[in-house]
Amino acid sequence: MSGFVEKPEPLQVPGLVHLHTGKVRELYQNEAGDLVMVASDRMSAFDWVLPTEIPDKGRVLTQLSLWWFERLQDLIGNHVISTDVPDGAPDDWAGRTMVCKSLRMVPVECVARGYLTGSGLAEYEQTRTVCGLALPEGLSDGSELPAPIFTPATKAAVGEHDENVSYEEVARQVGAETAAYLRQSTLAVYSLARDIARDRGIILADTKFEFGFDGDELIIADEVLTPDSSRFWPAASWEPGRAQPSYDKQFVRDWLTSPASGWDRKSEQPPPALPQEVVEATRTKYVEAYELLTGTAWH
Ligand SMILES: Nc1ncnc2c1ncn2[C@@H]1O[C@H](COP(=O)(O)OP(=O)(O)O)[C@@H](O)[C@H]1O
Ligand SMILES: [Mg+2]
């Protein structure tokens, strides 16, 4: 079992049709037919959406995505139309709302990895491959790869696990031309972002993009290069051969797997509420990622 511990009741706003409750975002359609994406403060870990929110998280994710979209715009078009809060929506939507082009989404999680960890490491240890791509001997948890790789995954429903798929499988599903474009764009955007982050003392170990068709043009959508969609590691403490401290979920994962939580990850039970100090420490990490990357103070 997994998914929402408490499924949220979406707010109804006159003039907006509620489309979907994602793990983190509420999706609406406005009267112009555009998509209104509102990021909540919800947090997920171990495939659960936790019962405790992290204050400011929705705004941090939204502001960071917008900052990145701007940095990337010479490389790739994006779905943002405006950040206006729709008439009749509550004031607290400000800063966490993006009005976007409603795209025909490509159902592939476009992952780029420049470093080995997580599901990539697990596969490497079995077969010396990641998503079927051969890698050299001698890599360990946190190692930099010889070059970044495209390791697509299928998009899973809430509570399910994304599954890595081969490039050939993606090409079968979306066509050879689209697959080639996804791979090339994913690697180009990752490489640019990796260099920007590196200058600011952050290693962008891996990240996930989603793309969609605006007419017949493929552009980048969803959120980009946030702590929710990426692994950020402090460059100063990077040391291959062990798990790296991650920027965002470390405190939450550590606490949930510690005896203090009383929760057994492998049980069917939903995870418990987070204690205040874990909430605060996590909020601080999200804000710190924002401040380091953008070079501006959070307010
Ligand atoms: N421009 C867009 N057009 C249509 N759908 C989009 C667009 N941008 C993002 N999405 C979709 O909106 C949802 C974002 O909500 P989120 O809470 O992140 O969901 P998830 O639980 O799927 O990660 C995702 O399903 C994503 O594919
Ligand atoms: Mg998402």
Side-chain angles (χ1 to χ4, degrees):
M1 248 284 287
S2 55
F4 287 99
V5 175
E6 292 156 31
K7 178 102 179 171
E9 196 52 49
L11 202 73
Q12 298 301 330
V13 177
L16 299 184
V17 178
H18 183 260
L19 300 176
H20 177 69
T21 298
K23 287 191 287 291
V24 171
R25 289 173 182 75
E26 297 296 341
L27 265 54
Y28 298 82
Q29 189 169 45
N30 67 16
E31 280 164 347
D34 299 325
L35 189 72
V36 180
M37 287 204 346
V38 186
S40 73
D41 292 340
R42 295 194 288 268
M43 168 132 200
S44 63
F46 301 119
D47 293 324
W48 284 95
V49 179
L50 303 178
T52 314
E53 297 197 329
I54 307 298
D56 289 335
K57 179 174 175 281
R59 287 197 300 134
V60 169
L61 296 183
T62 304
Q63 296 310 307
L64 197 52
S65 286
L66 290 166
W67 184 83
W68 279 114
F69 280 133
E70 221 173 286
R71 313 286 308 205
L72 301 172
Q73 66 190 2
D74 291 342
L75 191 58
I76 190 159
N78 67 67
H79 66 160
V80 180
I81 296 171
S82 85
T83 57
D84 299 342
V85 174
D87 290 339
D91 291 344
D92 78 353
W93 279 24
R96 56 193 186 94
T97 299
M98 289 196 304
V99 182
C100 302
K101 293 176 185 169
S102 179
L103 306 178
R104 190 159 52 81
M105 296 298 286
V106 180
V108 177
E109 308 260 306
C110 293
V111 178
R113 298 170 194 266
Y115 293 75
L116 189 63
T117 192
S119 67
L121 177 67
E123 182 181 329
Y124 175 80
E125 284 173 343
Q126 298 295 314
T127 58
R128 294 290 177 268
T129 62
V130 176
C131 281
L133 297 166
L135 291 172
E137 288 289 329
L139 302 177
S140 62
D141 195 355
S143 290
E144 186 171 12
L145 300 174
I149 54 175
F150 176 61
T151 62
T154 55
K155 204 175 154 61
V158 173
E160 317 248 310
H161 219 68
D162 293 345
E163 223 168 286
N164 288 347
V165 289
S166 68
Y167 178 75
E168 289 67 34
E169 182 55 33
V170 173
R172 256 194 299 279
Q173 280 181 26
V174 303
E177 197 188 334
T178 298
Y181 180 90
L182 294 177
R183 176 167 65 186
Q184 178 250 318
S185 304
T186 297
L187 292 173
V189 175
Y190 169 80
S191 299
L192 175 59
R194 172 203 57 201
D195 293 348
I196 293 172
R198 192 68 187 74
D199 284 345
R200 290 156 167 79
I202 292 183
I203 291 176
L204 175 61
D206 52 39
T207 194
K208 185 263 312 179
F209 303 117
E210 293 185 32
F211 296 86
F213 284 98
D214 178 19
D216 49 19
E217 191 194 356
L218 256 179
I219 61 176
I220 197 163
D222 205 50
E223 63 175 343
V224 287
L225 297 155
T226 70
D228 274 14
S229 68
S230 321
R231 282 191 178 92
F232 292 125
W233 297 335
S237 58
W238 173 61
E239 192 192 312
R242 59 155 168 82
Q244 312 300 312
S246 91
Y247 244 93
D248 53 326
K249 296 191 182 176
Q250 200 65 45
F251 291 105
V252 171
R253 292 203 191 103
D254 288 352
W255 183 79
L256 281 175
T257 53
S258 76
S261 75
W263 183 60
D264 176 9
R265 206 184 141 181
K266 290 181 197 78
S267 74
E268 299 283 294
Q269 294 305 308
L274 303 173
Q276 194 50 42
E277 65 271 17
V278 175
V279 171
E280 247 331 293
T282 302
R283 179 192 171 276
T284 302
K285 278 297 176 193
Y286 274 84
V287 168
E288 195 182 321
Y290 173 88
E291 292 189 327
L292 281 173
L293 285 165
T294 66
T296 53
W298 178 251
H299 47 264

mmCIF file of all heavy atoms in Angstrom, residues 20 22-25 27 35 37 79 100-103 105 155 158 210 221-222, ligand 1:
data_model
loop_
_atom_site.group_PDB
_atom_site.id
_atom_site.type_symbol
_atom_site.label_atom_id
_atom_site.label_comp_id
_atom_site.label_asym_id
_atom_site.label_seq_id
_atom_site.Cartn_x
_atom_site.Cartn_y
_atom_site.Cartn_z
ATOM 1 N N HIS A 20 -7.156 17.409 -11.712
ATOM 2 C CA HIS A 20 -6.327 16.305 -11.208
ATOM 3 C C HIS A 20 -5.626 16.720 -9.910
ATOM 4 O O HIS A 20 -5.190 17.860 -9.778
ATOM 5 C CB HIS A 20 -5.276 15.967 -12.280
ATOM 6 C CG HIS A 20 -4.297 14.913 -11.889
ATOM 7 N ND1 HIS A 20 -4.648 13.591 -11.735
ATOM 8 C CD2 HIS A 20 -2.966 14.966 -11.625
ATOM 9 C CE1 HIS A 20 -3.586 12.885 -11.393
ATOM 10 N NE2 HIS A 20 -2.540 13.701 -11.325
ATOM 11 N N GLY A 22 -2.313 15.790 -8.147
ATOM 12 C CA GLY A 22 -1.052 15.053 -8.215
ATOM 13 C C GLY A 22 -0.492 14.886 -6.808
ATOM 14 O O GLY A 22 -1.103 15.300 -5.827
ATOM 15 N N LYS A 23 0.681 14.283 -6.733
ATOM 16 C CA LYS A 23 1.299 14.121 -5.414
ATOM 17 C C LYS A 23 1.499 15.489 -4.767
ATOM 18 O O LYS A 23 1.260 15.656 -3.576
ATOM 19 C CB LYS A 23 2.648 13.401 -5.543
ATOM 20 C CG LYS A 23 2.490 11.911 -5.849
ATOM 21 C CD LYS A 23 3.808 11.163 -5.702
ATOM 22 C CE LYS A 23 4.796 11.439 -6.810
ATOM 23 N NZ LYS A 23 4.397 10.890 -8.131
ATOM 24 N N VAL A 24 1.941 16.450 -5.561
ATOM 25 C CA VAL A 24 2.284 17.762 -5.013
ATOM 26 C C VAL A 24 1.380 18.871 -5.556
ATOM 27 O O VAL A 24 1.118 19.848 -4.871
ATOM 28 C CB VAL A 24 3.776 18.070 -5.309
ATOM 29 C CG1 VAL A 24 4.134 19.502 -4.947
ATOM 30 C CG2 VAL A 24 4.666 17.083 -4.540
ATOM 31 N N ARG A 25 0.911 18.715 -6.796
ATOM 32 C CA ARG A 25 0.204 19.824 -7.449
ATOM 33 C C ARG A 25 -1.268 19.556 -7.651
ATOM 34 O O ARG A 25 -1.676 18.412 -7.847
ATOM 35 C CB ARG A 25 0.869 20.115 -8.805
ATOM 36 C CG ARG A 25 2.221 20.741 -8.597
ATOM 37 C CD ARG A 25 3.030 20.904 -9.872
ATOM 38 N NE ARG A 25 4.302 21.472 -9.477
ATOM 39 C CZ ARG A 25 5.255 20.762 -8.881
ATOM 40 N NH1 ARG A 25 5.114 19.476 -8.709
ATOM 41 N NH2 ARG A 25 6.349 21.358 -8.477
ATOM 42 N N LEU A 27 -4.165 20.517 -10.349
ATOM 43 C CA LEU A 27 -4.264 20.981 -11.736
ATOM 44 C C LEU A 27 -5.687 21.426 -12.039
ATOM 45 O O LEU A 27 -6.643 20.684 -11.742
ATOM 46 C CB LEU A 27 -3.888 19.839 -12.685
ATOM 47 C CG LEU A 27 -2.452 19.776 -13.164
ATOM 48 C CD1 LEU A 27 -1.476 19.782 -12.019
ATOM 49 C CD2 LEU A 27 -2.242 18.548 -14.031
ATOM 50 N N LEU A 35 -3.762 25.521 -18.581
ATOM 51 C CA LEU A 35 -3.606 24.711 -17.381
ATOM 52 C C LEU A 35 -3.159 25.619 -16.229
ATOM 53 O O LEU A 35 -2.239 26.417 -16.388
ATOM 54 C CB LEU A 35 -2.521 23.662 -17.653
ATOM 55 C CG LEU A 35 -2.355 22.579 -16.609
ATOM 56 C CD1 LEU A 35 -3.537 21.619 -16.673
ATOM 57 C CD2 LEU A 35 -1.053 21.820 -16.863
ATOM 58 N N MET A 37 -1.496 25.331 -12.683
ATOM 59 C CA MET A 37 -0.814 24.389 -11.792
ATOM 60 C C MET A 37 -0.529 25.079 -10.472
ATOM 61 O O MET A 37 0.151 26.098 -10.449
ATOM 62 C CB MET A 37 0.543 23.950 -12.394
ATOM 63 C CG MET A 37 0.431 23.006 -13.556
ATOM 64 S SD MET A 37 1.906 21.962 -13.843
ATOM 65 C CE MET A 37 3.152 22.698 -12.890
ATOM 66 N N HIS A 79 6.505 25.736 -20.883
ATOM 67 C CA HIS A 79 5.039 25.831 -20.902
ATOM 68 C C HIS A 79 4.465 27.036 -20.157
ATOM 69 O O HIS A 79 3.252 27.213 -20.142
ATOM 70 C CB HIS A 79 4.431 24.533 -20.366
ATOM 71 C CG HIS A 79 4.709 24.260 -18.918
ATOM 72 N ND1 HIS A 79 3.946 23.382 -18.161
ATOM 73 C CD2 HIS A 79 5.656 24.747 -18.068
ATOM 74 C CE1 HIS A 79 4.427 23.336 -16.931
ATOM 75 N NE2 HIS A 79 5.457 24.149 -16.848
ATOM 76 N N CYS A 100 -0.119 27.667 -17.425
ATOM 77 C CA CYS A 100 0.734 27.001 -18.416
ATOM 78 C C CYS A 100 -0.057 26.623 -19.658
ATOM 79 O O CYS A 100 -1.272 26.442 -19.589
ATOM 80 C CB CYS A 100 1.293 25.703 -17.835
ATOM 81 S SG CYS A 100 2.242 25.938 -16.349
ATOM 82 N N LYS A 101 0.674 26.472 -20.742
ATOM 83 C CA LYS A 101 0.056 25.890 -21.931
ATOM 84 C C LYS A 101 -0.352 24.458 -21.601
ATOM 85 O O LYS A 101 0.445 23.707 -21.022
ATOM 86 C CB LYS A 101 1.056 25.860 -23.087
ATOM 87 C CG LYS A 101 1.434 27.231 -23.582
ATOM 88 C CD LYS A 101 2.502 27.111 -24.664
ATOM 89 C CE LYS A 101 2.969 28.485 -25.080
ATOM 90 N NZ LYS A 101 4.169 28.421 -25.935
ATOM 91 N N SER A 102 -1.552 24.113 -21.967
ATOM 92 C CA SER A 102 -2.003 22.743 -21.752
ATOM 93 C C SER A 102 -1.438 21.879 -22.881
ATOM 94 O O SER A 102 -1.785 22.048 -24.036
ATOM 95 C CB SER A 102 -3.530 22.724 -21.755
ATOM 96 O OG SER A 102 -3.966 21.413 -21.575
ATOM 97 N N LEU A 103 -0.537 21.002 -22.528
ATOM 98 C CA LEU A 103 0.200 20.245 -23.543
ATOM 99 C C LEU A 103 -0.301 18.814 -23.649
ATOM 100 O O LEU A 103 -0.904 18.281 -22.714
ATOM 101 C CB LEU A 103 1.690 20.207 -23.192
ATOM 102 C CG LEU A 103 2.373 21.547 -22.958
ATOM 103 C CD1 LEU A 103 3.833 21.315 -22.581
ATOM 104 C CD2 LEU A 103 2.279 22.438 -24.194
ATOM 105 N N MET A 105 1.047 15.660 -23.125
ATOM 106 C CA MET A 105 2.274 15.231 -22.446
ATOM 107 C C MET A 105 2.807 13.922 -23.029
ATOM 108 O O MET A 105 2.040 13.032 -23.385
ATOM 109 C CB MET A 105 2.021 15.048 -20.946
ATOM 110 C CG MET A 105 1.636 16.325 -20.212
ATOM 111 S SD MET A 105 2.917 17.589 -20.270
ATOM 112 C CE MET A 105 4.100 16.902 -19.100
ATOM 113 N N LYS A 155 6.039 6.646 -16.399
ATOM 114 C CA LYS A 155 5.414 7.430 -15.339
ATOM 115 C C LYS A 155 4.401 6.557 -14.612
ATOM 116 O O LYS A 155 3.478 6.021 -15.217
ATOM 117 C CB LYS A 155 4.721 8.643 -15.964
ATOM 118 C CG LYS A 155 4.557 9.772 -14.998
ATOM 119 C CD LYS A 155 3.977 10.988 -15.699
ATOM 120 C CE LYS A 155 3.244 11.853 -14.712
ATOM 121 N NZ LYS A 155 4.057 12.386 -13.636
ATOM 122 N N VAL A 158 0.044 7.593 -8.802
ATOM 123 C CA VAL A 158 0.352 7.937 -7.407
ATOM 124 C C VAL A 158 0.455 6.651 -6.590
ATOM 125 O O VAL A 158 -0.413 5.789 -6.665
ATOM 126 C CB VAL A 158 -0.751 8.842 -6.815
ATOM 127 C CG1 VAL A 158 -0.538 9.056 -5.322
ATOM 128 C CG2 VAL A 158 -0.767 10.197 -7.523
ATOM 129 N N GLU A 210 9.841 16.479 -17.780
ATOM 130 C CA GLU A 210 8.692 16.013 -18.555
ATOM 131 C C GLU A 210 8.514 16.955 -19.733
ATOM 132 O O GLU A 210 8.651 18.166 -19.589
ATOM 133 C CB GLU A 210 7.422 15.977 -17.696
ATOM 134 C CG GLU A 210 7.482 14.925 -16.604
ATOM 135 C CD GLU A 210 6.184 14.796 -15.814
ATOM 136 O OE1 GLU A 210 5.093 15.019 -16.383
ATOM 137 O OE2 GLU A 210 6.266 14.495 -14.618
ATOM 138 N N ALA A 221 7.985 20.938 -19.704
ATOM 139 C CA ALA A 221 6.792 21.229 -18.913
ATOM 140 C C ALA A 221 7.049 20.923 -17.442
ATOM 141 O O ALA A 221 8.196 20.794 -17.008
ATOM 142 C CB ALA A 221 5.621 20.413 -19.442
ATOM 143 N N ASP A 222 5.948 20.835 -16.700
ATOM 144 C CA ASP A 222 5.974 20.430 -15.294
ATOM 145 C C ASP A 222 6.867 21.367 -14.477
ATOM 146 O O ASP A 222 6.917 22.565 -14.721
ATOM 147 C CB ASP A 222 6.444 18.970 -15.204
ATOM 148 C CG ASP A 222 5.953 18.270 -13.947
ATOM 149 O OD1 ASP A 222 4.757 18.340 -13.658
ATOM 150 O OD2 ASP A 222 6.787 17.662 -13.246
HETATM 151 N N1 LIG B 1 1.949 21.831 -19.485
HETATM 152 C C1 LIG B 1 1.354 20.732 -19.038
HETATM 153 N N2 LIG B 1 0.264 20.230 -19.666
HETATM 154 C C2 LIG B 1 -0.371 19.116 -19.186
HETATM 155 N N3 LIG B 1 0.015 18.433 -18.074
HETATM 156 C C3 LIG B 1 1.101 18.878 -17.416
HETATM 157 C C4 LIG B 1 1.834 20.042 -17.860
HETATM 158 N N4 LIG B 1 2.865 20.246 -17.012
HETATM 159 C C5 LIG B 1 2.800 19.263 -16.081
HETATM 160 N N5 LIG B 1 1.746 18.440 -16.299
HETATM 161 C C6 LIG B 1 1.321 17.311 -15.470
HETATM 162 O O1 LIG B 1 0.852 17.877 -14.236
HETATM 163 C C7 LIG B 1 1.087 17.008 -13.133
HETATM 164 C C8 LIG B 1 1.844 17.774 -12.037
HETATM 165 O O2 LIG B 1 1.416 17.414 -10.757
HETATM 166 P P1 LIG B 1 2.329 16.574 -9.740
HETATM 167 O O3 LIG B 1 1.762 16.797 -8.384
HETATM 168 O O4 LIG B 1 3.771 16.867 -9.980
HETATM 169 O O5 LIG B 1 1.942 15.140 -10.269
HETATM 170 P P2 LIG B 1 2.685 13.735 -10.131
HETATM 171 O O6 LIG B 1 2.107 13.094 -8.918
HETATM 172 O O7 LIG B 1 2.264 13.063 -11.401
HETATM 173 O O8 LIG B 1 4.171 14.018 -10.050
HETATM 174 C C9 LIG B 1 1.882 15.838 -13.693
HETATM 175 O O9 LIG B 1 1.003 14.755 -13.920
HETATM 176 C C10 LIG B 1 2.430 16.363 -15.029
HETATM 177 O O10 LIG B 1 2.634 15.342 -15.971
#
